[in-house]
Amino acid sequence: MEFNGNAGIDLHIHSTASDGTLSPSEILSVARSSHLGAIAITDHDTINGSKEALKIGIPSSLKFLTGVEISATPPPVENVPGSCHILGYNIDLENKRLNESLKVLQGARKSRNPQIIKRLNSLGLKITINDVLKEVGEGQVGRPHIAKAMITKGYVHTINEAFDKYLAQGKPAYQDKYRMDCSEAIHVITAAGGIPVLAHPFLLGLQSREIFRELVARMTEMGLKGIEVYYPEHPPDETIYYSKLAKQYGLFMTGGTDFHGSLKPDIKMGFGKGDFFVPFSLYEQLVSF
Ligand code: AMP
Ligand code: ZN
Ligand code: FE
Ligand code: FE
C-alpha cells in the first residue's frame, strides 16, 4: 500500500503492554487497514509496546513514533484534581536512564495492586490478585484490569461503574501510587532524545484557564515541547484555547484518541467517536524537531 499524506494520525494508543486490549501487532494491522498515516504506541509507564512494534516491523504505508505515557505529579500551581500525564515521542528505547526510571514506576504499580485488592476485600468484594491477572496478558496491571475482574465476578456491570463506585480518585478502593515529578518526566524523556508533550489537558480537571496557562508556563520552563490539543474528550472551545496557548508558548500541537481497544469500546483508533481527525501535518511538524 502506498503512503498517504492526507491520512489522519493517532499519537495516543495503548497496547497490551499496559491496559490496551490489542497487541502491538494487532495495532499495526488496524492502523494500516484504517489507512492511518502515522501512529505512536504510548503505554502507561512502559515502552514494551513500542519495542514490540519495532521488532515486528512497521508497514511501509505507516509512519511510527516510539512513545510512552508517564503518570506524573503536576507542578504545585493550585489544585490539580485530575490526571497529569506526560507523553514522550521519538524516544530512544534503549536509553538507560529512561529504562531505569520506568522500572521504578512499574515497581510502584506492582506494589499498588495488592493494596487496591485489600481495600476491595475490606469493602466485601471477594476478589484476588489471581482474578485480576486472568484479565491481563503479558503486560502490566492497571486499574482497568481490576475493573474487568470486578465485572467478571459480577460486582459491577461496566468499567465506568467500577471506577465511579470504587477505583477512581476519592472512591473507597482508590490507592495512590508513586508518580514521577513532572519536571523529572520531562527531563527523562528529553534525555532519551524524545519530545515531551502534556497529555489530554482537559483531564487535568482544572478550575480555570488561568490555572492551565500558569501550568503550561511552568512546564515550558521545565522543557515541555508540546500539548495534546486534539483529544476525543476535549470540548471544541477548549481545543481552540489549547491550540492558542500552544502557539503562544511555541509548543507543538499533537493529537490522539487514547485508544484502549475494547476497554474503551466507543473510541476507534484514529477516529475517536467517529468525528475525530488529526492531520498528518502535525506528525510532520513533530518529526522536524
Ligand atoms: P492506572 O494506570 O492503573 O492508574 O489506570 C489508568 C487508566 O484507567 C487509564 O487508562 C484510564 O483509561 C482508566 N481510567 C481512569 N479513570 C477512569 C474512570 N473514571 N473511568 C474509567 N476509566 C478510567
Ligand atoms: Zn490506560
Ligand atoms: Fe492519560
Ligand atoms: Fe492514555
Side-chain angles (χ1 to χ4, degrees):
M1 194 190 301
E2 281 294 302
F3 175 68
N4 173 9
N6 293 322
I9 64 171
D10 192 336
L11 302 184
H12 194 151
I13 294 174
H14 293 268
S15 79
T16 43
S18 67
D19 55 2
T21 58
L22 296 195
S23 67
S25 159
E26 290 166 329
I27 286 170
L28 292 173
S29 300
V30 172
R32 192 168 63 156
S33 60
S34 312
H35 307 291
L36 294 179
I39 63 162
I41 295 184
T42 53
D43 279 306
H44 298 288
D45 303 332
T46 174
I47 52 179
N48 288 344
S50 281
K51 278 186 181 168
E52 177 76 17
L54 288 184
K55 212 162 71 184
I56 294 161
I58 309 302
S60 59
S61 63
L62 190 66
K63 304 287 180 190
F64 183 80
L65 285 174
T66 57
V68 67
E69 181 176 26
I70 297 180
S71 306
T73 305
V77 287
E78 283 274 344
N79 186 26
V80 181
S83 310
C84 179
H85 291 172
I86 308 293
L87 294 158
Y89 291 118
N90 235 351
I91 39 180
D92 168 13
L93 300 179
E94 300 308 320
N95 182 271
K96 199 161 167 255
R97 183 174 164 196
L98 174 69
N99 278 277
E100 280 168 5
S101 299
L102 293 178
K103 238 182 234 164
V104 176
L105 293 177
Q106 289 156 15
R109 282 178 169 276
K110 273 208 182 97
S111 52
R112 173 207 209 193
N113 296 322
Q115 293 174 298
I116 297 177
I117 302 289
K118 214 168 135 190
R119 284 176 187 266
L120 289 171
N121 292 159
S122 68
L123 291 163
L125 284 76
K126 293 191 178 67
I127 196 162
T128 66
I129 192 73
N130 279 333
D131 295 329
V132 176
L133 290 175
K134 280 183 210 153
E135 308 288 344
V136 188
E138 307 264 289
Q140 106 188 306
V141 180
R143 280 178 292 164
H145 298 116
I146 301 178
K148 270 186 166 178
M150 291 163 73
I151 296 172
T152 304
K153 288 253 154 182
Y155 291 116
V156 289
H157 295 100
T158 63
I159 303 254
N160 280 343
E161 188 186 347
F163 272 88
D164 290 347
K165 286 194 178 152
Y166 299 100
L167 301 174
Q169 198 162 355
K171 304 298 171 180
Y174 180 75
Q175 175 67 48
D176 211 358
K177 66 175 183 301
Y178 163 77
R179 285 158 216 277
M180 203 184 278
D181 212 61
C182 166
S183 62
E184 197 190 336
I186 290 171
H187 288 137
V188 164
I189 290 165
T190 307
I195 306 169
V197 171
L198 177 60
H200 44 58
F202 193 66
L203 301 190
L204 288 159
L206 300 177
Q207 293 275 320
S208 73
R209 288 180 170 180
E210 205 33 59
I211 300 173
F212 183 61
R213 175 193 292 281
E214 168 100 23
L215 202 81
V216 168
R218 295 269 192 107
M219 289 189 182
T220 304
E221 281 169 20
M222 293 170 184
L224 188 78
K225 291 285 183 292
I227 301 178
E228 188 177 47
V229 168
Y230 299 102
Y231 189 80
E233 287 171 49
H234 284 173
D237 53 336
E238 293 307 302
T239 302
I240 293 168
Y241 179 66
Y242 301 147
S243 69
K244 277 187 189 153
L245 265 197
K247 202 172 267 175
Q248 200 175 337
Y249 284 87
L251 300 167
F252 291 113
M253 296 197 288
T254 71
T257 62
D258 215 350
F259 178 78
H260 279 74
S262 62
L263 206 69
K264 287 190 181 180
D266 54 334
I267 297 291
K268 266 184 75 187
M269 189 189 298
F271 302 97
K273 291 174 184 159
D275 52 353
F276 184 81
F277 181 84
V278 183
F280 188 75
S281 57
L282 295 190
Y283 163 81
E284 289 178 307
Q285 285 163 23
L286 204 58
V287 291
S288 70
F289 174 67

